Amino acid sequence: MTQSIKITGGVPLKGEVRVSGAKNAATKELVACLLTSEKVTLMNVPDIGDVSVTIDMLRGLGVSIEREGDRVTVDASTLTSPEVTEAFSRKNRIPILLFGPLLSRFGTAIIPALGGCKIGARPVDFHLTALQQMGTDIVCEDGVYRASIEGGRLHGAVIELAYPSVGATENVMLAAVLAKGTTMIRNAAIEPEIKDLAMLLQSMGAIIQLDVNQTWIIEGVESLHGATHRVIPDRIEAASFAVASVLTKGDVLIRGAVQDHMISFLNALRRIGGDFEMTSEGIRVFRVGEIKPSTVETDVYPGFATDWQQPFLILLTQADGVSIVHETVYESRFGYTDALNAMGANITIHTNCLGAKACRFSYRNHPHSAVVVGPTPLKAAKIEIPDLRAGFSYLVAALIAKGTSTITGVDLINRGYERIVEKLKGLGAEIEEVQ
Ligand code: EPZ
């Protein structure tokens, strides 16, 4: 097992790298496979920690899963248990999505509390309220949710989300495809990973469509069937490599990156002095001139994704002037900046909304705006990774820091990035894993 990663900064990244399948699509799609007793094959499934945890969790329910390279075949005809055991409590955000499939198959579901990155309170009230509206009776005892259906089958409902939550939208979708009647999800999330999930469900026999004004409409059907589906490329990983290329004054072809999924990111990159060229293979990203300061506001899709914020902020530490990052998705996602300041960055965190618009965290004392003053040379350091996306941003910071950095807590990066050391090495980075 890798104990730490050592990186010596100063090498421009050059060459090609292939983006893996999207973590936040693949893990949800594995759950969707439980909605049928027929086999579902997913291709382009990344070999990462969160996928392994999800596969183990599904196997724990009796599901048969075979993996061959990036192809995973799920046979949920052997599903025997409606109970996700405590062993999977607090590992990631996936268990809560099992309500729909387990309720549809068994009429009951027992699911432990959630885990995932520590980047805010991350409540699940939208999920529970929506499932209740669809006829689920849910109680929570000692951190375990016990759910059952009043009346044998979930029913459709008009769900109005208070915020376009990715997980809550997916949860309702997974419950609605086999529910009686039609479900409408208003103010829903429409991230590419959710559209990909919808496409898998449609291939499995669901009637599901994206309507105007961020609305999903799902007409419940009696049963779903087997399908084969290719998971979309990971736009978060693609953006991370794009940042690394611009930051190191490199030139990297990011194979498989999809422009349509990254429009906001690419605009932000161009504004600060990065540039790119679309090719039939992917997106080639490089630097033009010095990095310019900018203002970035995270948002739900199609806005600038919160998961792009951390690597992008490293770029801003090298901009000549004052930049602002306003995080509007999570109330507390700047904890990772202390370590960057220790490396020489000049980042201050504020509770005010420092973006163009006031967000829902306005006047709530959440540390959700960052002011970055640059350019600041970074020096190597020993850093412990606090969460997945911050972890990649530390790797990126180390790529330009003077000296050799040692990064621990690598398991967190492996949760979401496939063969990351090998990929960076392939681009010329001076990087090694220490066992
Ligand atoms: C998904 O998390 C992703 N995780 C996150 O990626 C991503 O940052 C996030 O969506 C936003 O794009 C997975 O897909 C596994 P949300 P999720 O529900 O679904 C609040 C990564 O590193 N909220 O859209 O948990 C919540 O607190 C991870 O890959 C409620 O208030 O995110 C947050 O402020 C990190 N009540 C906001 O909504 C609820 O019931 C958005 O959360 C649900 C959410």
Side-chain angles (χ1 to χ4, degrees), residues 23-24 28 93-94 117 119 122-127 163-168 191 306-307 329-331 333 360-361 388-389:
K23 162 178 98 73
N24 291 344
K28 325 299 175 64
R93 312 282 303 164
I94 305 304
C117 290
I119 50 183
R122 306 192 81 183
V124 291
D125 49 333
F126 305 160
H127 301 242
Y163 183 78
S165 154
V166 168
E191 269 65 5
T306 171
D307 295 331
V329 179
Y330 291 109
E331 71 275 23
R333 210 176 185 182
R360 66 206 164 102
F361 307 135
L388 172 63
R389 304 302 172 194

Side-chain angles (χ1 to χ4, degrees), residues 227-263:
T228 297
H229 176 80
R230 188 173 177 81
V231 178
I232 52 166
D234 197 309
R235 66 194 165 106
I236 313 299
E237 187 195 5
S240 306
F241 280 115
V243 164
S245 178
V246 172
L247 193 67
T248 62
K249 298 188 179 155
D251 189 335
V252 176
L253 172 63
I254 305 165
R255 281 185 182 273
V258 179
Q259 181 181 12
D260 180 35
H261 299 169
M262 301 179 67
I263 292 177

Side-chain angles (χ1 to χ4, degrees), residues 264-283:
S264 303
F265 173 83
L266 293 170
N267 286 337
L269 197 70
R270 183 166 273 159
R271 275 187 211 111
I272 60 112
D275 212 349
F276 43 87
E277 176 197 11
M278 301 306 154
T279 78
S280 56
E281 317 263 306
I283 307 177

Side-chain angles (χ1 to χ4, degrees), residues 364-384:
R364 287 188 162 74
N365 298 312
H366 294 305
H368 73 293
S369 294
V371 175
V372 185
V373 182
T376 49
L378 300 183
K379 55 181 186 298
K382 287 192 172 148
I383 333 171
E384 171 81 19

Side-chain angles (χ1 to χ4, degrees), residues 168-327:
T169 302
E170 293 161 340
N171 215 335
V172 177
M173 267 184 183
L174 291 165
V177 281
L178 289 178
K180 187 170 166 37
T182 300
T183 299
M184 180 183 265
I185 320 174
R186 290 201 186 124
N187 197 28
I190 55 166
E191 269 65 5
E193 294 77 18
I194 302 180
K195 289 186 194 157
D196 202 50
L197 173 65
M199 288 196 282
L200 167 65
L201 291 169
Q202 189 179 48
S203 302
M204 291 169 69
I207 301 177
I208 181 165
Q209 79 175 69
L210 181 56
D211 206 3
V212 292
N213 298 329
Q214 294 191 215
T215 300
W216 288 99
I217 299 176
I218 304 139
E219 296 169 43
V221 294
E222 292 297 321
S223 64
L224 296 179
H225 53 70
T228 297
H229 176 80
R230 188 173 177 81
V231 178
I232 52 166
D234 197 309
R235 66 194 165 106
I236 313 299
E237 187 195 5
S240 306
F241 280 115
V243 164
S245 178
V246 172
L247 193 67
T248 62
K249 298 188 179 155
D251 189 335
V252 176
L253 172 63
I254 305 165
R255 281 185 182 273
V258 179
Q259 181 181 12
D260 180 35
H261 299 169
M262 301 179 67
I263 292 177
S264 303
F265 173 83
L266 293 170
N267 286 337
L269 197 70
R270 183 166 273 159
R271 275 187 211 111
I272 60 112
D275 212 349
F276 43 87
E277 176 197 11
M278 301 306 154
T279 78
S280 56
E281 317 263 306
I283 307 177
R284 188 186 139 227
V285 180
F286 47 93
R287 165 92 78 95
V288 276
E290 293 309 307
I291 297 177
K292 298 189 277 277
S294 190
T295 301
V296 177
E297 203 154 30
T298 67
D299 214 332
V300 296
Y301 192 81
F304 188 95
T306 171
D307 295 331
W308 291 330
Q309 180 251 98
Q310 304 76 2
F312 201 82
L313 186 140
I314 311 292
L315 269 176
L316 298 177
T317 67
Q318 302 309 303
D320 189 3
V322 178
S323 297
I324 287 171
V325 182
H326 184 202
E327 169 62 57

